[in-house]
Amino acid sequence: MTDRVQGTDPSLKPQVLIIGGGFGGLWATRALASAPVDITLIDRTNHHLFQPLLYQVATAGLSAPDIAAPLRHILRSQRNVTVLMGEVTGIDVSKQLVMIGNEPLRYDYLIVAAGATHAYFGNDAWQQHAPGLKTLEDAFGIRARMLAAFEAAERTDDPIARARHLRFAVIGGGPTGVELAGTLAEIARHTLPREFRRADPRRAEIHLIEAGPRVLASMPESLSESACRQLTKLGVQVHTGTPVTVIDADGLMLGPNRIEASTVLWAAGVAASPLGASLPAERDRAGRVKVDPDLSVPGHPNVFVIGDLASIQCDGKPVPGVAPAAKQMGRHVAARIRQMLAGKSDRPAFRYVDFGNLATIGRLAAVVDLRGVRFAGASAWLFWLFAHLFFLIGFRNRLVVLINWAISYLTYQRAARVIIGTPKPDPIKNPA
Amino acid sequence: MTDRVQGTDPSLKPQVLIIGGGFGGLWATRALASAPVDITLIDRTNHHLFQPLLYQVATAGLSAPDIAAPLRHILRSQRNVTVLMGEVTGIDVSKQLVMIGNEPLRYDYLIVAAGATHAYFGNDAWQQHAPGLKTLEDAFGIRARMLAAFEAAERTDDPIARARHLRFAVIGGGPTGVELAGTLAEIARHTLPREFRRADPRRAEIHLIEAGPRVLASMPESLSESACRQLTKLGVQVHTGTPVTVIDADGLMLGPNRIEASTVLWAAGVAASPLGASLPAERDRAGRVKVDPDLSVPGHPNVFVIGDLASIQCDGKPVPGVAPAAKQMGRHVAARIRQMLAGKSDRPAFRYVDFGNLATIGRLAAVVDLRGVRFAGASAWLFWLFAHLFFLIGFRNRLVVLINWAISYLTYQRAARVIIGTPKPDPIKNPA
């Protein structure tokens, strides 16, 4: 097959269709800015989300617009791109069509960057009791649940119910779980105490539960230990090596032990977007599409899968589902498309450059691993802060976020403690 | 009857129950800070909302936390108040009880400041097609609808559907309607144009519809005329003197004329909170409780109604449902309760002090009437801006809002253009 579809209007530029405006899709779009193509970028939302700070929206530190900017605003000056908000319902690689609702859209090159969602490992009933954190809606739901639990603790006279409302469990000891647990502990210990009259937020228990042997398993062992120490110092109870077997409206079973908790959060597993199943390719256990070394779908050199949806090894190790990998993949496939447009037929492999790994835990608490240079605590936290501010898209967001953080830092207060919408039924409708 | 309930624990301080944490309830609470009472403030949300800027959240200029602060945070230092988040389901003045869900709460003094909601004058079916603006949830819904209409215009190929998506109708020519229409016009003319490729936001039509003879009817006639001129200059089509007779999913009937519009917003009527019906008192046509001159319920000197829920005349004119009136009422009933605690039996009447009236229209466009000193345009807008910043609760909010406004002013950009949640079905599910 050739790089262009036969029989189309020759005046038309090659059509590049990009599904998903996350790090992978957005970086691919930008890297094609000066290419002689027409790009259509489709996302189901109207915004690019800076996912590394999503836990800050969930824990009431930041507002949604601080970490989300409209895709069409980000790309306003790139004249070869049309942004569409819509839901992709199917992909037909034989006809080179993508369905947006009932409307077909033809492509010459397709980049699928549809990302991942939560996975409950077959226990889908757990979803309603233990929400995960992937979208802004998820973040608002978690924020409302967490704040409503403290409200319910203040409202009830029953000491057992109050203790349950003040008990929080975070399942999953990866970066998101560590961030959520650490921040929850800070809110309970430092932000809220003076504001309650009947309940004492300082008596809140925060449980971080990891089925594997240690938190932050992708980090070197010494940093896992440091993270565990920093969490314990903040007041988080860390449980490792025991899987959760039951989650219900009032808590969970951790091996043989019951933890009664109104608020259970899920940070344990992700599954690739179901859109991967529309492609004629093998998928791994997490549903990610197994791509060729150049990130194309086997047998379809004009169809690429990037970001969290792609399953690929690099130097014998799987490429992790992190923002820098998605950005690098986006730039790689943009370069591939330019080469194909120029008639080059070699297919250079994607190479992931790992600049390091960092995770934040709380105020002045973090761990950093820069290819062997490891540090923890206050210096790691400052490094994390500036790295994230630097990468946050848009000057305005960066400035407002910096001010919010500066004030948070000085006062321990959190700017966005607003319950919007109706929180999930459990803690609020049954105040007892 | 005496000021205290007989037969209760004498060690208990008098119980003051305040329903509603808006301007009336919050100002009453603060004015009782040093009184020898126990106050319970109940609100169905966890925050005080700065309602005069709610239209800025609806039009994507501000984030929710910019104009909303947790009630318990605002009142953290006032040790005689307990804040509860909960829904009041009934009031029994004979037993001096308020029901929060199934739980009764006893009071010695009751202040009902439950506010108002939208009214559709018997056309409740209009609500789904023409949302009103009273809560943060309302603001998010309107924001999502408005932004989704521009997205739908970009997605469709049908010029008739595109025109409908780019046509907006605001019903009601009071301050909220004028603010919404003026801001919508600015967004269409200045914020969005460069960001769309197929639809041209500058072709958007904004219709402001007022059944009465002029917009801003509570203002002097010369300022109504000025507001109308300023709106027209911004590109708003102002219709006065014709009532809307039909609203459906695709538009409305204005007398004999059809306006096809995907987005219709309701700013035409308010009705008092249904909680007023729990009180043994007459109510006016809008459902507001007719109170005695001291704001108490006739026959119940320890039960007060304040803010938008109260119907009272002052100097022969009805007191308007505005924030300054609610604050003054809150302070008045707090003073009354102090007097009753001191054993004084005279019941001084509430007197409303009207400091003036102001409404904003758009950037550098506003009208101000300070008891006869009238001005319009840029100077009025600057006056409005500083008046609102001054009254915005909490230093942090003020600073962030000021920065957002400064950047908006310089760039015409709007910080909060994020669609959260699923917009209402009409514009987004039927992209054609």
Side-chain angles (χ1 to χ4, degrees), chain A residues 82-167:
Chain A
T82 300
V83 175
L84 294 183
M85 177 177 161
E87 181 99 27
V88 172
T89 50
I91 300 171
D92 184 339
V93 292
S94 63
K95 294 186 185 146
Q96 306 206 151
L97 291 178
V98 162
M99 298 301 296
I100 308 179
N102 298 321
E103 220 174 320
L105 216 66
R106 204 188 59 75
Y107 65 79
D108 298 306
Y109 300 93
L110 176 64
I111 302 174
V112 186
T117 181
H118 331 293
Y120 289 84
F121 310 131
N123 296 294
D124 288 347
W126 292 1
Q127 183 155 18
Q128 58 171 313
H129 305 303
L133 182 60
K134 272 285 165 189
T135 66
L136 281 176
E137 286 82 4
D138 294 340
F140 277 114
I142 288 176
R143 186 201 285 178
R145 230 176 226 248
M146 168 193 87
L147 295 174
F150 286 103
E151 295 293 334
E154 178 80 344
R155 210 163 46 226
T156 189
D157 290 322
D158 173 357
I160 293 175
R162 179 168 292 158
R164 189 176 69 237
H165 291 315
L166 290 179
R167 202 172 286 120

Side-chain angles (χ1 to χ4, degrees), chain B residues 93-106:
Chain B
V93 293
S94 64
K95 294 188 185 146
Q96 306 206 151
L97 291 179
V98 162
M99 297 301 296
I100 307 179
N102 298 321
E103 219 173 321
L105 217 66
R106 204 188 57 77

Side-chain angles (χ1 to χ4, degrees), chain A residues 320-391:
Chain A
V322 295
K327 294 180 189 175
Q328 291 175 29
M329 290 184 189
R331 281 194 289 254
H332 179 83
V333 298
R336 283 282 301 122
I337 290 173
R338 286 169 181 278
Q339 290 166 344
M340 288 165 87
L341 289 170
K344 291 183 190 158
S345 59
D346 55 329
R347 297 169 53 192
F350 170 70
R351 289 192 53 78
Y352 171 53
V353 183
D354 184 359
F355 290 106
N357 208 341
L358 61 176
T360 181
I361 297 158
R363 177 166 124 138
L364 296 183
V367 288
V368 172
D369 173 27
L370 299 177
R371 309 174 91 174
V373 180
R374 294 167 194 171
F375 48 112
S379 57
W381 185 80
L382 283 170
F383 183 86
W384 173 90
L385 180 72
F386 284 102
H388 280 76
L389 275 182
F390 180 78
F391 285 116

Side-chain angles (χ1 to χ4, degrees), chain A residues 6-238:
Chain A
Q6 306 297 318
T8 54
D9 179 353
S11 71
L12 270 182
K13 287 182 187 161
Q15 301 292 307
V16 178
L17 201 59
I18 301 177
I19 302 173
F23 288 108
L26 185 55
W27 260 251
T29 305
R30 288 171 150 181
L32 288 167
S34 59
V37 293
D38 281 334
I39 305 167
T40 303
L41 174 62
I42 305 164
D43 196 283
R44 72 170 79 180
T45 74
N46 77 329
H47 50 266
H48 171 73
L49 180 64
F50 191 78
Q51 209 130 17
L53 289 178
L54 189 57
Y55 83 98
Q56 283 280 354
V57 175
T59 54
L62 293 175
S63 300
D66 293 343
I67 63 157
L71 283 163
R72 60 175 72 261
H73 182 67
I74 296 170
L75 295 166
R76 64 194 179 282
S77 307
Q78 188 174 331
R79 302 308 298 180
N80 69 348
V81 60
T82 300
V83 175
L84 294 183
M85 177 177 161
E87 181 99 27
V88 172
T89 50
I91 300 171
D92 184 339
V93 292
S94 63
K95 294 186 185 146
Q96 306 206 151
L97 291 178
V98 162
M99 298 301 296
I100 308 179
N102 298 321
E103 220 174 320
L105 216 66
R106 204 188 59 75
Y107 65 79
D108 298 306
Y109 300 93
L110 176 64
I111 302 174
V112 186
T117 181
H118 331 293
Y120 289 84
F121 310 131
N123 296 294
D124 288 347
W126 292 1
Q127 183 155 18
Q128 58 171 313
H129 305 303
L133 182 60
K134 272 285 165 189
T135 66
L136 281 176
E137 286 82 4
D138 294 340
F140 277 114
I142 288 176
R143 186 201 285 178
R145 230 176 226 248
M146 168 193 87
L147 295 174
F150 286 103
E151 295 293 334
E154 178 80 344
R155 210 163 46 226
T156 189
D157 290 322
D158 173 357
I160 293 175
R162 179 168 292 158
R164 189 176 69 237
H165 291 315
L166 290 179
R167 202 172 286 120
F168 298 81
V170 180
I171 303 173
T176 300
V178 167
E179 285 158 0
L180 284 174
T183 313
L184 268 169
E186 287 194 331
I187 289 172
R189 302 284 180 285
H190 297 291
T191 306
L192 298 181
R194 289 181 60 228
E195 305 188 6
F196 288 76
R197 301 291 181 261
R198 304 158 157 202
D200 183 354
R202 280 167 303 192
R203 303 180 83 166
E205 286 178 20
I206 323 290
H207 297 268
L208 177 64
I209 297 165
E210 166 59 43
R214 58 189 177 98
V215 299
L216 300 178
S218 64
M219 292 277 217
E221 209 156 324
S222 65
L223 289 183
S224 286
E225 279 162 26
S226 167
C228 193
R229 274 195 307 276
Q230 294 182 61
L231 282 164
T232 307
K233 205 171 145 199
L234 282 171
V236 175
Q237 301 181 35
V238 182

Side-chain angles (χ1 to χ4, degrees), chain B residues 82-262:
Chain B
T82 300
V83 176
L84 294 183
M85 179 177 159
E87 180 100 27
V88 172
T89 50
I91 300 171
D92 184 339
V93 293
S94 64
K95 294 188 185 146
Q96 306 206 151
L97 291 179
V98 162
M99 297 301 296
I100 307 179
N102 298 321
E103 219 173 321
L105 217 66
R106 204 188 57 77
Y107 65 80
D108 298 306
Y109 300 93
L110 176 65
I111 302 174
V112 186
T117 180
H118 330 294
Y120 289 84
F121 310 130
N123 295 293
D124 289 348
W126 292 2
Q127 183 156 16
Q128 58 170 314
H129 305 304
L133 182 60
K134 272 283 165 191
T135 66
L136 281 176
E137 286 81 4
D138 293 340
F140 278 116
I142 287 177
R143 187 201 285 178
R145 230 177 229 245
M146 169 193 87
L147 296 173
F150 285 104
E151 295 293 335
E154 178 81 344
R155 211 163 44 226
T156 188
D157 289 322
D158 173 357
I160 293 175
R162 179 167 293 157
R164 189 176 70 238
H165 291 315
L166 291 178
R167 202 172 286 119
F168 298 81
V170 179
I171 302 173
T176 302
V178 166
E179 285 159 0
L180 284 172
T183 313
L184 268 169
E186 287 194 333
I187 290 172
R189 301 284 180 282
H190 297 290
T191 306
L192 299 181
R194 290 180 59 226
E195 305 188 4
F196 287 76
R197 301 291 180 260
R198 304 157 159 203
D200 183 354
R202 280 166 304 192
R203 302 181 85 166
E205 285 177 24
I206 322 291
H207 296 267
L208 178 64
I209 297 165
E210 167 58 44
R214 57 190 178 97
V215 300
L216 299 179
S218 63
M219 292 278 217
E221 209 156 323
S222 65
L223 289 182
S224 286
E225 279 162 26
S226 168
C228 193
R229 272 197 308 276
Q230 295 182 61
L231 283 164
T232 307
K233 204 172 146 197
L234 282 170
V236 175
Q237 302 181 34
V238 181
H239 310 259
T240 50
T242 316
V244 169
T245 51
V246 173
I247 306 178
D248 55 40
D250 296 322
L252 55 83
M253 292 296 292
L254 187 60
N257 301 315
R258 172 97 189 154
I259 295 182
E260 289 275 316
S262 287

Side-chain angles (χ1 to χ4, degrees), chain B residues 9 53-54 76 83 104 155 234 252 260 343 385 430:
Chain B
D9 180 353
L53 290 178
L54 189 57
R76 63 194 179 282
V83 176
R155 211 163 44 226
L234 282 170
L252 55 83
E260 289 275 316
L385 181 71
N430 302 318

Side-chain angles (χ1 to χ4, degrees), chain A residues 260-301:
Chain A
E260 289 275 316
S262 286
T263 311
V264 181
L265 305 180
W266 184 260
V270 292
S273 159
L275 217 54
S278 308
L279 293 170
E282 265 188 88
R283 282 170 297 142
D284 69 8
R285 230 159 32 110
R288 295 178 304 173
V289 178
K290 293 187 176 177
V291 290
D292 278 350
D294 73 337
L295 300 172
S296 66
V297 171
H300 297 275

